[in-house]
Every structure is written in C-alpha cells, then in structure tokens.
Amino acid sequence: AFIRGPEVDQFEKDFAALVGVRHCISCANGTDALYIALRGLGLGLGDEVITTAHSWISTSETITQAGGRVVFCDTDPATFTIDPADIARKITSRTRGIIPVHLYGQPADMDPILELARKHRLWVVEDCAQAHLAEYKGRQVGTMGDVATFSFYPGKNLGAMGDAGGIVTNRDDLVEWMTNFARHGGKGNHVIEGINSRMDGLQGAVLRVKVPHLRRWTEMRRHLAAAYDRALEGVGDVVIPKVATGRTHVYHLYVIQTNRRDALRAHLTAAGIETVLNYPKALPFYPAYAYLRHTPADFPVAARHQNQILSLPIFPEMTAEQQQLVINSIKQFCS
C-alpha cells in the first residue's frame, strides 16, 4: 500500500468520475503522464507534434523524449493559449499530433483544434495540468482529446502532498498499454518494457480526501479573480486576464500584463507580496531549443507576453484583507 494500493485504485475511479471519462491511469507526476500518453499513442522517431510556445517545458520535452520532434506555435494575444491559426500553418506530412495546453486554468480554443485534427487525422493530447474542472462550451477539459494529462503537484488546484499525476481517456484501446507501461510493463507479467511511474499510496489517500472539495475551491478562486478584475480594470497600464466566450477559467494562476512588470514586481516584493513569472521565457528561446534557431519574430505574441506577465497571489483560502493589500499596492505603484 506504500506504492499504489487501494487508496490509489479508488482515487483513479473518483477522478475519472469527476472529469467525466471512463478511465484514469495514475502515475508518478504530470510530466510522466505526458510521456506515457505520447508513447501510448505510438509517437515514432522524428514524428512532429505541434504545441504551444509558451508553457512549462514538460509539454515539449516529453515530445522529444518519446522520439518526436517539437513544432512550436504562437499564442493567442488575449488568452495565452495556443493559436489554432498558427497550428494550421505548421501542419506537415510528418505531423502526428497536437498538444494544446489549457494554460493558467483557461481552456484552449478546442473546436478549431479538433477540426484540424479530424481533417489531418491527427491525435490530440490535452495538457490539463493547470485546468482541473475548467470547461469549454459546456465540455470539461480532459474529455475532448484522445487522451488528457493532469498534474497533482502540490501547488496545483488539486494537489497532493508530494508529486503525482494522472492520464484520463475514453479510448479503451489505449488503457491496457499505458497502464502496463507505467508499471514496468505489467507487474508479475512483463508483456513490454515499461517505466516505473507509480503513484504513492499516501498521495492517493490525500487526493481522495481533496476531490470532494475541488468544486468549492474552484468557485473560491473564481470569486477572488472577479474581485481582482473589478479592482484592477483600468488601473495604470495593467491588463487583466481575459476569458474567451464559452470558456470557464479556474484560475490556477491570475496573470496580469504590464509594460512595467519588473518595477511593479519589485514594489510588491518590498510590500511583502510574493509574485511569480509563469513563464519568464517562451520555450523556443531557451538553450534547450537553440537547435531550432527560432527568433522572437517567429512567435511575436509569446515573445511580448514573456516580458509583460506577472502572476499575482491567488489561492482558495486567501482573505479579503490579503487581497486588498495586493490591490492597494498595485494602485499605489500605478499612481
């Protein structure tokens, strides 16, 4: 019961029911979830996978580790999510799949993405690491692609007390392979060579306790985000996060934009307010992807966002007084 066990087995059932899918395969972390999904979908050596230029590196590094080649796309100016029009431009005869990221807690624009996938016979893996319970036109994230992956890292909206991850799908044909692959190719009967990516029993127990509270915690995040929206709209050059029509944002992060980002961050730090840059550099501009020879002109929106974004404090237990301190400090800076 220390590794997997009955608590993990029950959490898989609970989480599948929460998302609204038939299957949940638990694993050690959200990065492994992406890697296992890509291997399960049969990604081959040199196959191209299209994903967003602005995300955490797990999204792209697992493509390479599974044998594929990363193809980056620019992001939407309003929502930070992958731009479907740029996806259409990047599809080639070598493209096998698309990984949209529901970044910061807002779903990507899935209808045109799914239409492109159908047209070109591509699979779709939803990266839901930051978007537990977010919805797109009445459909919950994790239910639209072939496979979806979740992170239960402690800071996520549904977080364990250590690292943990999960894969969800309605595709019955993928479940047995991915389950075996995550557990050394099948415990007691190694039908394939796999990896060791099993959820700790303790994390399964913690997550089981938290699952019934997630909807309430999500509403608390939305309440705090709405208060930020009302207070910061029109303050200086601050741009509050926009939510596209038909989408529900779960505010894993509340990300503003300002041309004076670094100065504002220093001001807030001096006031005892912690902020974060998620993410300070778009993925194509890191040394790990120097071989692709990209320049900011290739991804103008992501390149602009990386210099303007600032994540403000937001968490379900945040008090009105704490939030008002953040708001007052921003207003003081802007005045």
Side-chain angles (χ1 to χ4, degrees), residues 227-270:
Y228 270 141
D229 287 349
R230 291 190 297 269
L232 297 178
E233 179 74 66
V235 174
D237 73 339
V238 170
V239 178
I240 61 174
K242 306 300 182 195
V243 183
T245 302
R247 304 186 216 181
T248 61
H249 201 315
V250 296
Y251 296 100
H252 170 60
L253 298 169
Y254 187 90
V255 182
I256 63 169
Q257 298 178 68
T258 170
N259 290 322
R260 296 194 288 166
R261 189 267 310 281
D262 293 341
L264 173 59
R265 190 182 190 202
H267 175 82
L268 293 173
T269 298

Side-chain angles (χ1 to χ4, degrees), residues 155-166:
K156 294 297 192 286
N157 290 22
L158 178 62
M161 299 297 279
D163 227 341

Side-chain angles (χ1 to χ4, degrees), residues 179-195:
T179 300
N180 284 335
F181 186 70
R183 301 167 194 172
H184 290 296
K187 186 175 180 180
N189 183 26
H190 306 294
V191 294
I192 57 173
E193 290 183 326
I195 61 172

Side-chain angles (χ1 to χ4, degrees), residues 41-328:
L41 287 162
L43 186 65
L45 189 64
D47 288 346
E48 293 179 353
V49 180
I50 295 172
T51 194
T52 176
H54 208 181
S55 179
W56 178 243
I57 195 170
S58 294
T59 314
S60 54
E61 69 185 354
T62 50
I63 296 170
T64 307
Q65 290 161 357
R69 182 174 175 83
V70 182
V71 177
F72 288 116
C73 280
D74 207 1
T75 49
D76 175 72
T79 65
F80 302 107
T81 58
I82 192 168
D83 179 1
D86 204 23
I87 295 175
R89 290 189 287 267
K90 301 290 177 65
I91 293 172
T92 73
S93 61
R94 297 181 297 277
T95 307
R96 294 294 174 267
I98 306 168
I99 306 182
V101 180
H102 305 310
L103 197 69
Y104 302 150
Q106 177 163 201
D109 192 3
M110 291 301 295
D111 278 352
I113 293 171
L114 294 170
E115 178 57 33
L116 285 169
R118 283 190 291 269
K119 179 180 178 181
H120 297 279
R121 298 183 178 180
L122 308 175
W123 41 254
V124 174
V125 175
E126 295 179 71
D127 185 339
C128 307
Q130 301 182 355
H132 312 67
L133 296 184
E135 292 184 357
Y136 175 85
K137 298 183 179 179
R139 292 169 288 173
Q140 193 164 306
V141 300
T143 65
M144 293 172 277
D146 293 85
V147 181
T149 64
F150 285 85
S151 169
F152 307 117
Y153 179 81
K156 294 297 192 286
N157 290 22
L158 178 62
M161 299 297 279
D163 227 341
I167 307 155
V168 300
T169 185
N170 282 318
R171 283 190 52 177
D172 300 335
D173 60 311
L174 298 176
V175 175
E176 184 177 5
W177 193 96
M178 292 192 296
T179 300
N180 284 335
F181 186 70
R183 301 167 194 172
H184 290 296
K187 186 175 180 180
N189 183 26
H190 306 294
V191 294
I192 57 173
E193 290 183 326
I195 61 172
N196 179 17
S197 185
R198 298 170 293 180
M199 184 183 287
D200 293 347
L202 178 62
Q203 308 311 335
V206 168
L207 290 167
R208 276 196 65 200
V209 172
K210 286 188 168 188
V211 162
H213 300 278
L214 183 58
R215 292 193 185 280
R216 179 172 59 87
W217 290 339
T218 300
E219 288 308 311
M220 293 166 77
R221 286 178 179 273
R222 288 181 176 144
H223 174 77
L224 290 163
Y228 270 141
D229 287 349
R230 291 190 297 269
L232 297 178
E233 179 74 66
V235 174
D237 73 339
V238 170
V239 178
I240 61 174
K242 306 300 182 195
V243 183
T245 302
R247 304 186 216 181
T248 61
H249 201 315
V250 296
Y251 296 100
H252 170 60
L253 298 169
Y254 187 90
V255 182
I256 63 169
Q257 298 178 68
T258 170
N259 290 322
R260 296 194 288 166
R261 189 267 310 281
D262 293 341
L264 173 59
R265 190 182 190 202
H267 175 82
L268 293 173
T269 298
I273 299 167
E274 184 178 3
T275 58
V276 182
L277 306 183
N278 302 100
Y279 299 93
K281 190 180 292 188
L283 291 169
F285 310 138
Y286 280 105
Y289 298 106
Y291 69 93
L292 294 174
R293 300 182 183 279
H294 285 305
T295 68
D298 297 328
F299 311 100
V301 177
R304 181 174 73 253
H305 281 164
Q306 69 182 6
N307 298 317
Q308 296 177 332
I309 53 173
L310 186 65
S311 299
L312 301 183
I314 190 167
F315 52 98
E317 301 81 10
M318 189 179 195
T319 66
E321 291 76 18
Q322 288 172 325
Q323 187 175 38
Q324 196 61 50
L325 174 63
V326 179
I327 292 166
N328 290 344

